Amino acid sequence: MDLPLWSPIFSQIEKTAMLTNIIAKVEQFAKQAQTQHEHIYAKLFEASIQSAKENNYPVAAVIINENQEIISLGRNQSFYPQFASGAHAEINAVNAYEQQTKHKANTMITTLEPCLMCTSRLTLSTIEHVYYMQSDPTGGGISTMATAPADFKNLASKMTFQKIANHPKAQEIASMLYNLGEQIWQKNIADIKK
């Protein structure tokens, strides 16, 4: 369900055109997926699209086990169905993961570099490896861990944070999702901060 929350700067028509283009690329990507990672990326993209359709920033994250099986999936739900500042994809994935009885997974894959809040939460979890498809120059939190308080800095130093750099098609889709997400973010945060 698309919600009409768009400013004149970024119209419903522009959003629909961007989303239609992304959906076509994701459908093509999913059809061509051969590796387990490519199937995981396709699921992430599909969940991100669902968030965008609901007027949330299009981000999704999964936690996988050593067999590359998805243990939990989270997607951004910060603005819909109601405003929830902590309902980011990574936090939703960690919450779902931690509610399970067995905690054997230690790897997260996400479509976007986690923000400061999500990066801090990840340092407190049992996740050891975080792989992201798209850097976030305006809101990414990984680089800020170098100047974080000592406890967070120490915990982050024991983790792997790495951008996925070996899959150009996945990176292209993640970049498109980021560009759409920035438009959604600017409009929604402006409305909330009125």
Side-chain angles (χ1 to χ4, degrees):
M1 168 161 88
D2 292 309
L3 302 177
L5 298 175
W6 302 95
S7 70
I9 297 169
F10 185 68
S11 71
Q12 182 68 30
I13 294 169
E14 291 169 312
K15 179 234 178 181
T16 301
M18 287 180 81
L19 198 50
T20 300
N21 189 21
I22 293 167
I23 290 168
K25 294 240 183 222
V26 169
E27 287 173 351
Q28 180 182 18
F29 183 91
K31 286 179 186 174
Q32 295 174 349
Q34 295 178 355
T35 68
Q36 183 63 18
H37 277 125
E38 288 173 336
H39 288 287
I40 290 170
Y41 299 165
K43 286 187 187 309
L44 286 166
F45 295 145
E46 290 163 0
S48 295
I49 288 168
Q50 183 60 40
S51 288
K53 286 179 176 179
E54 294 173 353
N55 209 30
N56 290 306
Y57 201 115
V59 179
V62 293
I63 297 174
I64 59 173
N65 65 16
E66 63 277 352
N67 297 323
Q68 308 298 304
E69 299 166 325
I70 296 174
I71 303 302
S72 69
L73 182 144
R75 61 184 182 84
N76 192 313
Q77 296 178 297
S78 294
F79 298 107
Y80 179 85
Q82 64 192 29
F83 179 66
S85 61
H88 291 203
E90 299 88 347
I91 289 177
N92 289 339
V94 170
N95 287 344
Y97 167 67
E98 289 177 347
Q99 290 174 4
Q100 298 177 25
T101 56
K102 297 180 183 177
H103 298 290
K104 295 187 178 182
N106 68 356
T107 300
M108 174 176 278
I109 302 172
T110 183
T111 57
L112 184 64
E113 175 185 357
C115 70
L116 180 58
M117 176 179 68
C118 292
T119 302
S120 297
R121 173 68 188 278
L122 288 167
T123 65
L124 298 171
S125 74
T126 59
I127 303 300
E128 295 173 4
H129 310 284
V130 178
Y131 299 96
Y132 57 97
M133 293 183 206
Q134 172 69 37
S135 296
D136 185 353
T138 61
I142 293 171
S143 62
T144 63
M145 285 292 107
T147 59
D151 286 344
F152 286 97
K153 187 176 181 177
N154 181 43
L155 291 168
S157 72
K158 297 174 183 174
M159 298 176 68
T160 302
F161 293 98
Q162 184 176 339
K163 182 176 180 188
I164 297 169
N166 62 351
H167 205 295
K169 288 182 182 178
Q171 289 173 289
E172 177 188 11
I173 294 168
S175 177
M176 293 170 73
L177 289 166
Y178 170 77
N179 290 330
L180 176 60
E182 283 299 296
Q183 297 296 327
I184 292 169
W185 163 258
Q186 293 301 324
K187 173 61 177 131
N188 286 344
I189 204 67
D191 288 345
I192 288 167
K193 295 292 185 175
K194 281 184 181 176

